[in-house]
């Protein structure tokens, strides 16, 4: 299990204060972060740009040394046992980098495999499997510089799996991938966790991806955890609207309007109305489950054409968080 | 583990070099070597009418000025090749976006750098063979060569250049610069180590600098071994100095590079 407690990371940069003058400036990228990744589970790390997601992943993958706190991975200390940890973790980042463009896909995987000291026979088998998985069989012996963006990204995924890591950190892994490949990668990610018991930390800008894949989500903002829980729990808490109802009715009499407004204001809820083509669409947002009451009220006075109860989305949570952040910054 | 790293890195580099070998760069290096020798040839034959002073013979231990210069140029070819490739290895990874994937793996720094050095030595040795063929008409002579001391000189030189390259590599990563740092080092070496003339012609304060650059001893032992056939025992002090400097540069380089490369991913952020 990966357990991080109070992880901290500061960046020290030079700030120009005049001609040949500068002063050191410390930026707290991660202030204090607690995080747990269990084997076989996919954990999401969400946050706005600059929240500290990539820094967190780089610390966990031994690229950056934490400035404080502790982290153990299967009993190994992240700082003290970094060399051993490198054998059981790996990282996949979005984009086309992290592979050698002048080498072929096979040569790239061979090189990285050698750095992990994987015996030749095993390495060759692993390379064959990975090349097949990422769908590069036909062009495995072609220089990477001739690949498309998606193909380079697929090779990077293969590179991230070359040491068969127990913990995999994926930073925007589907960035730039075609929809079918992205879908395959999501499937594969799920099976890596479920079937092979790998612990996975995933960041993504595609909220649907997080909702689909993650068992647990951490939301960080300005280097601090602001929330954690299952995607559903987070959406419920942050968006503060456990239920959304989209109802289409063929008329909206004044009597019904008054009755609906009185009812919703009593439970501190709200609705929006759109009318077109002789029908009306009502969107009710509420933190209570009022499905049966709404159906009863509406069906007495009008005809319900359709009724859809929507579950809260993680996306709503992120948007709410970003609005809160913007408000805080504006009033700071 | 370290052997795996050395061989894998050397093979990787060789593959990349052969796939996209900079032919113009190859010619540029050979032409630099050729024109240096040609320039010396004209100065020696036209300006000095093929004569050297007693002072030169006393300082260099030979009256064969052309062989003296040619060996100096060969050494410089090695210096340039090593510094351009081994020193730039980490910063090139940084610029091409592969440093992170390298550092996430349990790469052995010593193995990685040695792999770069091995590949570079092979490439430069190939270039040197061609250079030797080109320069024979200018008067390069091996008649008096002492093979054992020549081999020892080359071996120690390689270690020294490796150590110097590692230090330069650290400087390049720290300052995120290749051009200024490498060209400064090239100029200092070209001026102070006796590539084209014995260092005794330099002002005494510059000679002090020469004494701390291993290339000075590499050149002296190489010339003494090839041109005058001196054996290892006769050059004991120079070999000792070269060995000590090689170890010092190598040790400082390794200590420095570990710290700087470890911090490199952080410096990419800021």
């Amino acid at each position: 299990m990966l357990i991080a407690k109070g992880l901290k990371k500061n960046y020290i940069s030079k700030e120009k204060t005049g001609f040949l003058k500068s002063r050191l400036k410390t930026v707290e990228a991660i202030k204090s972060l607690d995080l747990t990744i269990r084997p076989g589970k996919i954990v999401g790390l969400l946050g706005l740009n600059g929240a500290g997601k990539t820094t967190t992943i780089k610390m966990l993958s031994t690229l950056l040394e934490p400035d404080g706190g502790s982290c153990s991975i299967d009993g190994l200390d992240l700082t003290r046992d970094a060399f051993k940890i490198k054998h059981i973790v790996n990282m996949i980042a979005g984009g086309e980098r992290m592979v050698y463009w002048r080498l072929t896909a096979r040569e790239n995987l061979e090189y990285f495999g050698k750095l992990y000291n994987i015996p030749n026979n095993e390495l060759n088998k692993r390379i064959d499997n990975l090349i097949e998985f990422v769908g590069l069989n036909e062009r495995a012996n072609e220089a990477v510089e001739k690949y498309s963006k998606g193909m380079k990204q697929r090779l990077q995924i293969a590179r991230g799996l070359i040491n068969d890591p127990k913990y995999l950190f994926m930073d925007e892994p589907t960035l730039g991938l075609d929809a079918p490949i992205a879908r395959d990668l999501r499937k594969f990610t799920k099976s890596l966790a479920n079937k092979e018991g790998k612990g996975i930390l995933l960041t993504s800008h595609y909220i649907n991806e997080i909702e689909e894949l993650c068992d647990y989500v951490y939301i960080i903002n300005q280097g601090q955890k602001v929330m954690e829980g299952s995607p559903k729990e987070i959406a419920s808490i942050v968006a503060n609207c456990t239920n959304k109802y989209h109802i289409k009715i063929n008329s909206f009499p004044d009597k019904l309007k008054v009755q609906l407004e009185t009812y919703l204001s009593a439970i501190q809820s709200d609705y929006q109305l759109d009318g077109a083509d002789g029908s009306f669409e009502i969107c009710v947002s509420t933190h209570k489950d009022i499905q049966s009451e709404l159906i009863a009220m509406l069906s007495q006075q009008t005809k319900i054409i359709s009724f859809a109860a929507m579950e809260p989305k993680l996306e709503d949570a992120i948007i709410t968080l970003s609005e809160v952040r913007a408000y805080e910054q504006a009033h700071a | 583990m370290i052997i795996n790293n050395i061989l894998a890195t050397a093979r990787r580099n060789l593959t990349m070099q052969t796939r996209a070998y900079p032919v113009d760069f190859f010619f540029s290096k050979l032409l630099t070597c050729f024109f240096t020798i040609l320039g010396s040839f004209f100065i020696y034959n036209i300006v000095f009418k093929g004569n050297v002073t007693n002072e030169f013979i006393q300082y260099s231990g030979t009256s064969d000025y052309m062989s003296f210069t040619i060996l100096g140029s060969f050494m410089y070819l090695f210096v340039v090749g090593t510094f351009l490739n081994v020193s730039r290895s980490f910063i090139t990874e940084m610029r091409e976006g592969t440093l992170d994937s390298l550092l996430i793996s349990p790469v052995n720094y010593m193995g990685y750098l040695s792999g770069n050095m091995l590949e570079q030595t092979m490439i430069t040795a190939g270039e040197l063979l061609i250079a030797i063929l080109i320069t024979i008409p200018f008067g390069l002579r091996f008649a008096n060569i002492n093979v054992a001391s020549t081999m020892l000189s080359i071996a120690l030189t390689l270690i020294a250049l490796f150590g110097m390259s590692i230090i330069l590599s650290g400087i390049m990563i720290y300052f995120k610069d290749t051009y200024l740092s490498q060209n400064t080092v090239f100029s200092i070496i070209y001026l102070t180590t006796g590539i084209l003339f014995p260092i005794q012609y330099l002002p005494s304060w510059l000679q002090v600098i020469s004494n701390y650059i291993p290339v000075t001893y590499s050149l002296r032992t190489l010339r003494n071994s090839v041109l005058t056939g001196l054996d290892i025992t006769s050059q004991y002090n120079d070999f000792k100095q070269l060995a000590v400097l090689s170890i010092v540069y190598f040790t400082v380089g390794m200590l420095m590079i570990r710290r700087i490369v470890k911090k490199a991913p952080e410096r990419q952020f800021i």
Side-chain angles (χ1 to χ4, degrees):
Chain A
M1 190 173 0
L2 183 155
I3 305 167
K5 282 188 179 160
L7 272 190
K8 285 182 187 167
K9 184 69 203 169
N10 299 333
Y11 292 127
I12 297 168
S13 61
K14 271 186 183 174
E15 194 179 43
K16 282 217 161 192
T17 52
F19 184 64
L20 294 178
K21 279 184 182 175
S22 62
R23 68 171 171 215
L24 293 177
K25 187 183 163 193
T26 304
V27 179
E28 285 182 291
I30 299 293
K31 286 169 187 162
S32 177
L33 186 65
D34 297 346
L35 190 88
T36 303
I37 305 172
R38 290 183 170 78
K41 296 289 174 193
I42 304 177
V43 172
L45 191 61
L46 281 175
L48 300 172
N49 287 335
K53 302 187 293 289
T54 302
T55 300
T56 304
I57 279 192
K58 289 200 170 186
M59 275 197 286
L60 297 179
S61 52
T62 72
L63 267 178
L64 299 176
E65 209 169 294
D67 290 320
S70 65
C71 178
S72 77
I73 303 179
D74 286 357
L76 298 168
D77 183 81
L78 183 65
T79 313
R80 213 177 39 240
D81 306 312
F83 187 76
K84 287 181 186 165
I85 285 177
K86 283 172 189 290
H87 286 88
I88 57 166
V89 303
N90 212 327
M91 179 181 106
I92 296 168
E96 306 162 66
R97 295 292 171 173
M98 296 183 87
V99 288
Y100 297 97
W101 287 23
R102 280 189 192 170
L103 296 180
T104 65
R106 186 171 287 279
E107 287 163 350
N108 263 288
L109 296 177
E110 267 171 15
Y111 179 62
F112 286 109
K114 296 273 182 196
L115 294 183
Y116 283 98
N117 222 17
I118 302 167
N120 280 345
N121 286 345
E122 196 186 330
L123 180 59
N124 288 334
K125 273 185 210 161
R126 213 177 275 182
I127 290 172
D128 288 340
N129 291 338
L130 287 172
I131 283 178
E132 195 178 330
F133 161 66
V134 294
L136 290 173
N137 317 44
E138 287 177 14
R139 297 180 68 180
N141 296 315
E142 204 173 295
V144 173
E145 60 194 351
K146 293 177 186 165
Y147 286 9
S148 68
K149 190 178 174 186
M151 288 168 76
K152 284 174 191 145
Q153 172 65 355
R154 280 187 270 159
L155 174 61
Q156 218 220 116
I157 291 160
R159 183 206 53 77
L161 295 167
I162 192 70
N163 62 325
D164 192 18
K166 286 175 83 177
Y167 296 89
L168 190 59
F169 310 123
M170 305 171 93
D171 193 7
E172 306 275 355
T174 53
L175 195 73
L177 289 185
D178 294 336
I181 301 289
R183 187 194 55 210
D184 286 351
L185 178 67
R186 283 199 293 273
K187 260 191 207 168
F188 186 70
T189 305
K190 198 101 184 163
S191 74
L192 283 175
N194 294 344
K195 291 181 187 165
E196 296 188 33
K198 294 187 193 303
I200 295 172
L201 182 67
L202 173 73
T203 75
S204 176
H205 271 109
Y206 306 119
I207 305 292
N208 293 343
E209 198 165 87
I210 298 279
E211 280 189 310
E212 181 187 332
L213 292 177
C214 295
D215 303 294
Y216 204 76
V217 174
Y218 291 89
I219 297 183
I220 58 172
N221 190 25
Q222 294 180 328
Q224 277 179 315
K225 181 180 75 186
V226 289
M227 200 152 283
E228 65 178 288
S230 70
K232 204 171 172 181
E233 281 168 357
I234 287 182
S236 310
I237 297 164
V238 177
N240 195 25
C241 52
T242 39
N243 298 289
K244 268 189 179 177
Y245 303 105
H246 288 268
I247 313 144
K248 205 169 182 181
I249 47 179
N250 70 346
S251 64
F252 194 47
D254 289 344
K255 193 182 163 194
L256 176 61
K257 189 181 174 193
V258 173
Q259 194 181 350
L260 184 67
E261 282 174 0
T262 312
Y263 174 70
L264 290 178
S265 69
I267 56 168
Q268 289 158 355
S269 301
D270 202 1
Y271 80 100
Q272 282 182 313
L273 177 70
D274 276 322
D277 305 329
S279 64
F280 296 86
E281 263 189 49
I282 302 174
C283 180
V284 178
S285 299
T286 173
H287 56 279
K288 285 192 171 181
D289 184 0
I290 55 167
Q291 186 171 333
S292 50
E293 287 87 339
L294 266 181
I295 291 173
M297 186 192 299
L298 296 170
S299 57
Q300 277 174 7
Q301 301 185 48
T302 186
K303 189 184 173 189
I304 299 173
I305 300 167
S306 65
F307 190 103
M310 316 289 283
E311 285 194 333
K313 289 279 176 191
L314 197 55
E315 192 167 9
D316 299 329
I318 301 299
I319 291 167
T320 307
L321 269 180
S322 69
E323 286 167 355
V324 170
R325 185 181 164 188
Y327 177 83
E328 284 170 353
Q329 281 176 344
H331 292 83
Chain B
M1 180 88 184
I2 190 168
I3 299 290
N4 249 351
N5 278 219
I6 294 172
L7 296 178
T9 306
R11 193 177 163 197
R12 179 203 73 170
N13 285 10
L14 213 54
T15 308
M16 292 199 286
Q17 283 273 6
T18 46
R19 189 157 294 150
Y21 188 77
V23 181
D24 50 347
F25 185 57
F26 166 76
F27 282 117
S28 142
K29 277 204 286 182
L30 276 184
L31 283 175
T32 306
C33 179
F34 175 72
F35 284 124
T36 307
I37 294 162
L38 191 68
S40 306
F41 179 79
F42 286 142
I43 292 169
Y44 178 56
N45 286 294
I46 297 167
V47 181
F48 298 112
K49 309 288 181 198
N51 296 313
V52 288
T53 60
N54 287 334
E55 209 177 26
F56 176 86
I57 297 169
Q58 188 196 332
Y59 293 156
S60 66
T62 179
S63 59
D64 183 356
Y65 177 69
M66 280 319 296
S67 293
F68 179 92
T69 316
I70 290 168
L71 286 178
S73 299
F74 287 173
M75 179 62 71
Y76 193 64
L77 191 72
F78 247 100
V79 170
V80 171
T82 313
F83 282 12
L84 280 185
N85 290 277
V86 181
S87 300
R88 290 167 72 124
S89 53
F90 274 122
I91 201 163
T92 305
E93 302 270 3
M94 191 192 260
R95 287 173 175 174
E96 293 186 354
T98 48
L99 187 66
D100 283 359
S101 45
L102 189 75
L103 297 184
I104 285 170
S105 75
V107 64
N108 181 297
Y109 290 0
M110 167 80 173
Y112 169 80
L113 288 163
S114 304
N116 277 288
M117 183 70 189
L118 176 63
E119 181 261 346
Q120 185 49 46
T121 306
M122 287 157 69
I123 294 272
T124 315
E127 291 169 350
L128 200 60
L129 278 177
I130 299 168
I132 288 172
L133 293 176
I134 295 171
T135 52
I136 282 175
F138 288 102
L140 178 63
R141 278 186 285 274
F142 295 105
N144 299 321
I145 190 168
N146 182 308
V147 177
S149 56
T150 304
M151 297 307 286
L152 181 63
S153 173
I154 292 171
L156 288 176
T157 300
L158 289 176
I159 299 171
L161 289 179
F162 186 42
M164 292 173 79
S165 301
I166 298 171
I167 293 177
L168 184 59
S169 176
I171 293 169
M172 284 178 173
I173 299 169
Y174 188 82
F175 290 105
K176 293 181 185 171
D177 161 79
T178 47
Y179 188 79
L180 199 61
S181 40
Q182 96 194 1
N183 287 328
T184 306
V185 172
F186 286 162
S187 306
I188 293 170
I189 288 177
Y190 197 78
L191 178 71
T192 62
T193 59
I195 302 280
L196 294 179
F197 51 83
I199 60 165
Q200 288 84 347
Y201 287 114
L202 291 169
S204 53
W205 63 272
L206 266 180
Q207 287 185 45
V208 174
I209 296 175
S210 314
N211 291 334
Y212 291 99
I213 302 176
V215 180
T216 306
Y217 301 97
S218 298
L219 276 167
R220 201 180 294 157
T221 53
L222 187 70
R223 282 170 176 147
N224 285 338
S225 307
V226 174
L227 302 180
T228 51
L230 287 185
D231 61 12
I232 296 169
T233 342
S234 322
Q235 302 182 73
Y236 176 76
N237 279 335
D238 280 339
F239 276 127
K240 191 179 79 182
Q241 287 285 80
L242 179 56
V244 168
L245 283 177
S246 303
I247 291 165
V248 169
Y249 273 86
F250 177 75
T251 310
V252 172
M254 284 312 292
L255 290 173
M256 189 176 152
I257 203 80
R258 277 182 214 286
R259 292 175 67 90
I260 292 176
V261 172
K262 213 173 171 184
K263 288 279 176 192
E266 208 164 300
R267 290 176 57 79
Q268 288 179 93
F269 270 103
I270 52 181

